[in-house]
Amino acid sequence: PETQARVGCASWKATPPRACSPHRQRGPFWTPIGGEHSTPIDIRQDETPVSFAARLSALHGCPSLRSFLTDQGISPSDLLHGTRQAIGRLCAVAGQDPAPVWRNTAVSQGNQTFALRREIVPASMLVREETRFCPLCLHEDDLGSDSPGIGRHDRLAWSLRVVTSCPRHDLALILRAREHRENMLHKLALHVPERGDELVARASTALRREASPLQTYVLRRLEGRKGPDWLDGQTLEQAVKATQMLGMGFAFGTSVRLGSVDRDGWDLAGRRGWEWVSKGEPGLQAAFEALQATAFAQGQGGQNYFSVFGQLYRWLLEPGDRSDHGPIKQVLRDHIVRNMDVCVGRDLLGQPVERRCKYAVQSLALETGLHRQTLRKVLEARGLIAAKDAGKGNALLLVDADKARAAAAALRRSVPFVQLPALLAATRPIVTCLIELGLLTPLHRSSGENTRDKCGFDAREAERLLKRLHDLAPEMPDMPPGWVTLRQCSKRARIPMQQILQAIFRGRITGIGRARGDLGFGALRIDIEEMRRLSF
């Protein structure tokens, strides 16, 4: 009698007194539970081992699951960690086939990680500090048993943090915080005392919400079913975290703090992120472009990657205990390198940047030593900056790196309009005609009076124009009589200077040349008779 009082469970077989102390004897001295007056129970398909042990405890009259486990030679801590010894002993004392128990067991791998159905999951993905339940599921359990302690079982899905809705009843799971860590060895009948109509009333006031695509994906994956290829190629943690962290920016903006996001917020983030990650890398690229466009519209971006990608970038930046964040890290890094302002040699998400694809106007000005506003005007004139973005700051405006360098080099070589006549050996009217014909292009147009005098021209473009002219008008040792200069040709043949220059550069004039050693437009000589015969 004293032994039975200490054990607290009236259903198991009598054993020698020394074997009754849980601290003295283990394993072999105990026999499987059962007898004439006990009804064996089997683990249910979606039940956790702790829930199964709790129902066994209730079946045999033990109010404390810890006492029940200890008296059966099972370490409660080992059961929570899914050790082989604990699970094997539990199955032995219950006469249970181990296979379905192992299927629902999260086995500790050390370093806060667990193995569950061929998947490695961190402890952070498992819920242990609270009880989650669907009132309608528990109501159905109660209908099948006279005792809630025996009939109710804790679903494996409820122990996954990503699961926030009952996939059977489309209800948001109800949470009950546990007052003490001991309550990890909990019994649903104690944590959820409601019965019958009370559970139905709880369901009627609960939030109606279908299971998220991310939750469905996780549960299907644990069942061994395939999902999107991009997600299937990652660990379960990487797939879930990438989806939620990407969706965080779309759901709450990039300035949200994770501490302010509750369970429903994480569920919403998973739903928003799924829209993109389910499409693989093309979906991620589209998501990054959308986030970047939103930031640009709000006057953010440039080199501030936090303001563009928010918590996603912060997460990828933090190595923590597991530095491998999955393929999303490389996809985001490649996007930043291709589409944002980055400095060569900078460490970006763990790798140095080897080449620059984009410049912000401000970065280009600092690198080249050019005035920001003047450089910006040149870039606008070359179509590298859209007119609709004229109001944006220089730190936000991004341009193609190769084209931007070419524009900056042209600006550094620029010569003002007043120097062109000497450079081309031409009169100011001839230079004006060349500009009007588009043979010389100003780097940018200034506003106000005398705008042309304020425009800069690429000296290299002027040099190329001179070379083209010299190819069309070769040196002639003996100049034919009657050949005249450009000005004389225009005056005598009564042809506008602009039309003469246009005919020259289109190759319509064969009677053209220049004296040996002479350069530029002033050295040209033209057959005036040929010019008179041409039709304009």
Side-chain angles (χ1 to χ4, degrees), residues 303 341-347 352-357 359 367 405:
Q303 290 187 346
D341 184 17
V342 290
C343 299
V344 175
R346 173 178 179 173
D347 182 87
V353 177
E354 296 180 356
R355 64 180 298 267
R356 182 193 283 271
C357 296
Y359 269 107
E367 185 175 298
R405 292 191 193 98

Side-chain angles (χ1 to χ4, degrees), residues 292 295-297 299-304 339-342 356-365 372-373 375-381 383-401 404:
Q292 191 174 353
F296 185 74
Q300 300 173 334
Q303 290 187 346
N304 192 344
N339 299 284
M340 298 188 72
D341 184 17
V342 290
R356 182 193 283 271
C357 296
K358 294 285 184 179
Y359 269 107
V361 175
Q362 180 170 301
S363 298
L364 183 61
R372 290 191 297 272
Q373 291 305 107
L375 177 60
R376 176 171 176 154
K377 291 176 182 178
V378 173
L379 296 172
E380 289 176 353
L384 300 180
I385 297 177
K388 61 182 180 64
D389 298 330
K392 299 295 182 181
N394 292 324
L396 301 181
L397 293 173
L398 300 172
V399 292
D400 178 84

Side-chain angles (χ1 to χ4, degrees), residues 248 252 256-267 269 311:
M248 196 65 66
F252 304 106
V256 65
R257 295 183 177 275
L258 295 183
S260 65
V261 182
D262 59 11
R263 177 192 65 156
D264 294 332
W266 281 100
D267 178 81
Q311 290 297 338

Side-chain angles (χ1 to χ4, degrees), residues 476-488:
M476 302 182 69
D478 298 317
M479 192 67 61
W483 285 27
V484 295
T485 64
L486 279 175
R487 183 181 178 186
Q488 291 172 333

Side-chain angles (χ1 to χ4, degrees), residues 2-18:
E2 293 178 358
T3 299
Q4 292 178 350
R6 283 202 306 272
V7 171
C9 301
S11 61
W12 46 61
K13 299 178 180 180
T15 55
R18 291 183 62 186

Side-chain angles (χ1 to χ4, degrees), residues 9-146:
C9 301
S11 61
W12 46 61
K13 299 178 180 180
T15 55
R18 291 183 62 186
C20 296
S21 173
H23 302 290
R24 295 180 181 177
Q25 303 293 340
R26 290 290 184 267
F29 291 91
W30 293 94
T31 56
I33 296 175
E36 303 178 2
H37 307 291
S38 64
T39 303
I41 59 175
D42 295 324
I43 191 169
R44 294 173 181 167
Q45 183 179 5
D46 57 349
E47 186 176 12
T48 64
V50 173
S51 172
F52 179 51
R55 292 200 297 124
L56 287 174
S57 173
L59 176 67
H60 296 285
C62 265
S64 169
L65 177 56
R66 176 174 287 275
S67 297
F68 173 78
L69 293 173
T70 302
D71 289 335
Q72 291 301 318
I74 301 172
S75 166
S77 177
D78 287 350
L79 180 63
L80 291 174
H81 286 83
T83 65
R84 181 172 297 278
Q85 180 181 3
I87 299 300
R89 179 62 180 163
L90 177 65
C91 294
V93 299
Q96 169 67 49
D97 178 13
V101 180
W102 280 115
R103 177 171 171 77
N104 293 345
T105 300
V107 182
S108 175
Q109 304 295 297
N111 196 27
Q112 294 294 304
T113 60
F114 291 80
L116 177 62
R117 295 185 182 178
R118 301 182 302 278
E119 297 287 350
I120 300 298
V121 297
S124 59
M125 288 186 64
L126 302 176
V127 178
R128 300 200 167 196
E129 71 281 2
E130 61 192 13
T131 296
R132 295 184 175 196
F133 66 95
C134 167
L136 292 184
C137 286
L138 295 187
H139 183 58
E140 291 175 354
D141 289 347
D142 291 348
L143 293 178
S145 175
D146 295 335

Side-chain angles (χ1 to χ4, degrees), residues 188 201 219 265 353 386:
L188 279 174
L219 295 180
V353 177

